[in-house]
């Protein structure tokens, strides 16, 4: 009976009107809400977006390539590439993990599976297409030549005979310059960063620079001390790259997101924010900040770099000291196998540059073992194994410096060799070794700056990020020098205090 009334309520009388009214309201709501759905919500329903939804891609990029990637005053990595990849990630529903490594290191990271994608103002060429798969082009580039602002001798390529032209390694500018070097009689000098090229021209070590025109335009607008003297040379286009045959779903999602941004105008708005409409340079800032304002702006980033420098040095020093003590004892051991293991270790790590090991641990080892290695682990292995080799010899030398009669006297009193070593020889050896160990600690702290080559965020790396955006190279390096001097002086003072206590 109750069911009958219910069925009647739905199909007749006021009930039927209620059902109809409800359906009408729902229909109108759907018509109103559908157009209000965000582009991101709409895009994430596509097959391309569903294939990458919720995934995280490791994106390697250059460290200093303004306006495509650089750090702003707050230390955030910004630029056309960075804003574009983040916006597309939002639209398509995936996440990105940015790794700021430098252009060449970014490509190595992609090859060694330390990264999934490279987006770094990378020109799409036929040669690169043989190694990488590219997304659709997102920026049409080209190159241009610039010289020092006060140079009135060079007006065209014909005036470059006998000159040095600075270019960026692996860039379109390098290819352009090499094609014309013989014709116009100039030599090409390739370096790793745009800011280094500009400083070479300003210091007279190069007479001109050929670089991507948006990068040159941005630098000139920021007051990098250069001026352009030739017209823009049309060139190739930029694209994001993945390993050949891999991450096809990322390429599809990127292309879809890029197309949506171009359709709704957000792509043009993003590009214009950095290089202006028509791809001309943005207007120059009203004034350059003074030195103390620059110090205030750079202070947070430099302190972050100092913290990382001290942390990686402390971790590495503890490991290196343990290696030095253990292998130092093996080095003087009557066991020939242990002694030769220590000798071989010392010979290998003292006979090879630190930078080689940094690249090997961060880029080479992952390809050998098939697993990613964190940059902190790669940095600690590099510094500790290198310094450990020197500490082995310091420990051996300190033990050998103890009078032979000390061992003979201890053994004549009935002590075993191990007991004599522990209770008589080592306490004296520690006093001999302390000054050299302190010196090795200072060397390790300074060597940590080499880790910037693999993108470790130590002090000099942070400085590069700063002057890549504001082109205040001299002032920034002066600040870094002062910070290093204060840090090393404080470290040396504390170590000497410890040394004096040991020698009481």
């Amino acid at each position: 009976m109750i069911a009958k009334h219910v069925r009647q309520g739905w199909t007749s009388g006021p009930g039927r009107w209620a059902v109809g009214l409800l359906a009408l309201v729902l229909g109108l709501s759907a018509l109103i809400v559908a157009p209000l759905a965000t582009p991101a919500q709409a895009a994430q329903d596509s097959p391309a977006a569903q294939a990458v939804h919720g995934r995280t891609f490791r994106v390697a990029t250059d460290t200093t390539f303004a306006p495509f990637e650089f750090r702003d005053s707050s230390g955030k990595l910004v630029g056309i590439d960075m804003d574009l990849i983040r916006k597309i990630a939002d639209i398509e529903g995936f996440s990105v993990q940015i790794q700021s490594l430098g252009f060449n290191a970014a490509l190595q990271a992609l090859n060694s599976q330390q990264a999934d994608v490279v987006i770094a103002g990378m020109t799409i060429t036929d040669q690169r297409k043989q190694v990488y798969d590219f997304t659709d082009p997102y920026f049409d580039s080209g190159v241009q030549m610039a010289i020092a602002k006060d140079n009135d001798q060079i007006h065209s390529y014909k005036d470059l005979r006998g000159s040095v032209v600075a270019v960026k390694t692996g860039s379109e500018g390098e290819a352009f310059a090499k094609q014309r070097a013989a014709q116009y009689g100039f030599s090409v000098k390739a370096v790793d960063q745009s800011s280094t090229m500009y400083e070479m021209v300003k210091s007279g070590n190069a007479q001109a620079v050929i670089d991507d025109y948006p990068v040159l335009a941005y630098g000139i607008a920021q007051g990098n001390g250069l001026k352009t003297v030739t017209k823009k040379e049309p060139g190739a286009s930029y694209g994001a790259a993945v390993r050949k045959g891999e991450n096809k779903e990322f390429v599809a999602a990127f292309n879809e997101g890029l197309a949506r941004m171009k359709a709704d105008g957000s792509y043009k708005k993003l590009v214009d924010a950095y290089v202006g409409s028509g791809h001309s340079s943005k207007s120059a800032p009203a004034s350059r900040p003074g030195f103390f304002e620059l110090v205030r702006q750079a202070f947070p980033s430099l302190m972050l770099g100092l913290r990382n420098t001290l942390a990686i040095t402390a971790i590495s020093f503890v490991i290196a000291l343990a290696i030095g003590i253990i292998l130092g004892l093996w080095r003087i051991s009557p066991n020939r196998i242990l002694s030769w293991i220590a000798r071989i270790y010392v010979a290998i790590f003292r006979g090879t540059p630190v930078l080689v090991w940094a690249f090997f641990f961060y880029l080479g080892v992952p390809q050998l073992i098939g697993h990613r290695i964190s940059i902190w682990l790669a940095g600690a292995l590099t510094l500790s194994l290198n310094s450990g080799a020197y500490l082995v010899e310091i420990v051996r030398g300190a033990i050998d410096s103890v009078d032979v009669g000390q061992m003979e006297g201890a053994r004549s009193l009935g002590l075993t060799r191990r007991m004599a070593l522990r209770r008589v020889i080592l306490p004296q050896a520690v006093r001999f070794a302390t000054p050299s160990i302190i010196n090795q600690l200072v060397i390790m702290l300074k060597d940590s700056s080499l880790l910037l080559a693999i993108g470790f965020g130590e002090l000099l790396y942070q400085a590069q990020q700063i002057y890549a955006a504001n082109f205040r190279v001299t002032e920034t390096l002066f600040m870094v020098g002062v910070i290093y001097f204060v840090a090393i002086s404080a470290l040396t003072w504390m170590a000497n205090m410890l040394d004096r206590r040991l020698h009481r």
Side-chain angles (χ1 to χ4, degrees), residues 306 309-310 442 445-446 459 477-493:
L306 178 62
T309 294
L310 295 177
V442 171
L445 190 147
K446 291 189 287 188
L459 183 55
L477 290 179
F478 175 76
M479 286 187 276
V480 170
V482 170
I483 293 172
Y484 267 122
F485 177 76
V486 172
I488 291 174
S489 297
L491 189 64
T492 305
W493 177 75

Side-chain angles (χ1 to χ4, degrees), residues 18-256:
V19 172
L21 182 60
L22 179 61
L24 180 62
V25 170
L26 290 175
L28 289 173
S29 299
L31 290 173
I32 294 171
V33 171
L36 296 178
T38 64
Q41 290 171 332
Q44 289 174 14
D45 293 333
S46 70
Q50 289 178 356
V52 297
H53 183 73
R55 292 180 59 183
T56 298
F57 292 94
R58 296 166 297 168
V59 179
T61 188
D62 203 347
T63 52
T64 55
F65 195 57
F68 290 91
E69 39 265 340
F70 63 99
R71 293 189 187 276
D72 62 12
S73 58
S74 66
K76 183 182 178 183
L77 201 57
V78 297
I80 295 173
D81 287 349
M82 299 296 96
D83 291 1
L84 183 66
I85 192 77
R86 290 181 180 123
K87 180 65 177 176
I88 291 177
D90 288 341
I91 293 173
E92 298 295 312
F94 62 87
S95 302
V96 292
Q97 187 180 79
I98 306 293
Q99 303 174 12
S100 177
L101 302 174
F103 185 72
N104 289 327
L107 294 182
Q108 293 300 321
L110 181 63
N111 296 336
S112 62
Q113 301 184 354
Q114 290 279 64
D116 303 311
V117 183
V118 166
I119 182 167
M122 187 173 178
T123 304
I124 302 173
T125 65
D126 292 337
Q127 186 178 12
R128 285 174 175 163
K129 283 181 179 178
Q130 297 176 8
V131 183
Y132 307 110
D133 286 332
F134 283 92
T135 63
D136 290 342
Y138 64 84
F139 191 90
D140 294 326
S141 184
V143 298
Q144 198 169 13
M145 185 174 78
I147 60 174
K149 199 172 182 178
D150 57 355
N151 187 336
D152 298 324
Q153 306 299 317
I154 298 175
H155 303 283
S156 68
Y157 301 120
K158 294 179 181 178
D159 300 324
L160 289 175
R161 186 163 296 281
S163 301
V164 176
V165 175
V167 297
K168 188 171 181 178
T169 305
S171 68
E172 187 179 2
E174 182 182 22
F176 180 87
K178 286 183 175 178
Q179 289 172 359
R180 288 156 179 79
Q183 178 183 356
Y184 295 107
F186 61 83
S187 58
V188 178
K189 180 68 175 177
V191 295
D192 197 41
Q193 295 184 16
S194 296
S195 55
T196 306
M197 291 192 298
Y198 305 155
E199 292 306 306
M200 287 177 66
V201 173
K202 289 161 62 179
S203 64
N205 291 313
Q207 284 67 51
V209 57
I210 296 178
D211 201 2
D212 294 26
Y213 80 82
V215 181
L216 266 180
Y218 182 85
I220 291 170
Q222 298 298 313
N224 67 358
L226 303 186
K227 64 180 179 183
T228 55
V229 290
T230 60
K231 63 179 182 179
K232 300 172 187 174
E233 303 285 353
S237 302
Y238 292 165
V242 299
R243 286 183 296 278
K244 194 76 176 175
E246 298 182 26
N247 286 321
K248 294 180 179 177
E249 60 278 14
F250 171 85
V251 174
F254 184 97
N255 293 341
E256 182 180 78

Side-chain angles (χ1 to χ4, degrees), residues 167-453:
V167 297
K168 188 171 181 178
T169 305
S171 68
E172 187 179 2
E174 182 182 22
F176 180 87
K178 286 183 175 178
Q179 289 172 359
R180 288 156 179 79
Q183 178 183 356
Y184 295 107
F186 61 83
S187 58
V188 178
K189 180 68 175 177
V191 295
D192 197 41
Q193 295 184 16
S194 296
S195 55
T196 306
M197 291 192 298
Y198 305 155
E199 292 306 306
M200 287 177 66
V201 173
K202 289 161 62 179
S203 64
N205 291 313
Q207 284 67 51
V209 57
I210 296 178
D211 201 2
D212 294 26
Y213 80 82
V215 181
L216 266 180
Y218 182 85
I220 291 170
Q222 298 298 313
N224 67 358
L226 303 186
K227 64 180 179 183
T228 55
V229 290
T230 60
K231 63 179 182 179
K232 300 172 187 174
E233 303 285 353
S237 302
Y238 292 165
V242 299
R243 286 183 296 278
K244 194 76 176 175
E246 298 182 26
N247 286 321
K248 294 180 179 177
E249 60 278 14
F250 171 85
V251 174
F254 184 97
N255 293 341
E256 182 180 78
L258 179 63
R260 289 179 181 275
M261 289 184 66
K262 288 183 175 179
D264 65 16
S266 57
Y267 169 82
K268 184 178 184 305
K269 187 177 178 182
L270 186 155
V271 173
D272 288 351
Y274 286 99
V275 295
S277 59
H279 294 181
S280 61
S281 64
K282 293 176 73 175
S283 58
S287 61
R288 285 161 66 86
F291 177 73
F292 291 104
E293 176 62 17
L294 182 64
V295 171
R296 188 191 66 77
Q297 294 176 357
F299 189 77
S301 295
L302 293 180
M303 288 302 101
L304 173 63
L306 178 62
R307 187 193 68 183
N308 290 342
T309 294
L310 295 177
I312 195 70
T313 301
I315 295 170
S316 303
F317 182 71
V318 171
I319 300 172
L321 192 58
I323 293 173
I325 293 172
I326 294 172
L327 270 70
L329 294 174
W330 287 11
R331 182 74 173 77
I332 61 168
S333 171
N335 187 321
R336 298 186 65 180
I337 295 176
L338 294 180
S339 179
W340 272 104
I341 290 175
R343 286 170 184 263
I344 292 170
Y345 164 74
V346 171
I348 290 174
F349 282 93
R350 284 206 314 184
T352 48
V354 179
L355 205 52
V356 170
W357 290 107
F359 283 119
F360 177 76
F361 286 125
Y362 190 59
L363 303 176
V365 171
Q367 297 181 62
L368 297 176
I369 65 176
H371 293 284
R372 181 171 176 254
I373 288 184
S374 78
I375 200 165
W376 278 87
L377 178 58
L381 285 172
T382 300
L383 294 179
S384 60
L385 290 175
N386 177 266
S387 291
Y390 291 92
L391 288 170
V392 167
E393 287 301 296
I394 290 172
V395 171
R396 181 194 62 80
I399 293 174
D400 286 346
S401 298
V402 179
D403 194 318
V404 178
Q406 296 286 318
M407 174 63 81
E408 294 174 351
R411 296 297 299 271
S412 68
L413 292 174
L415 297 179
T416 63
R417 184 179 183 280
R418 178 174 297 183
M419 292 175 64
L421 193 63
R422 188 173 72 246
R423 296 184 178 181
V424 178
I425 304 301
L426 287 182
Q428 298 180 66
V430 168
R431 295 183 179 182
F432 292 131
T434 301
S436 298
I437 291 175
I438 294 171
N439 189 49
Q440 189 58 42
L441 174 61
V442 171
I443 291 173
M444 180 186 285
L445 190 147
K446 291 189 287 188
D447 281 351
S448 66
S449 64
L450 294 172
L451 298 181
L452 73 85

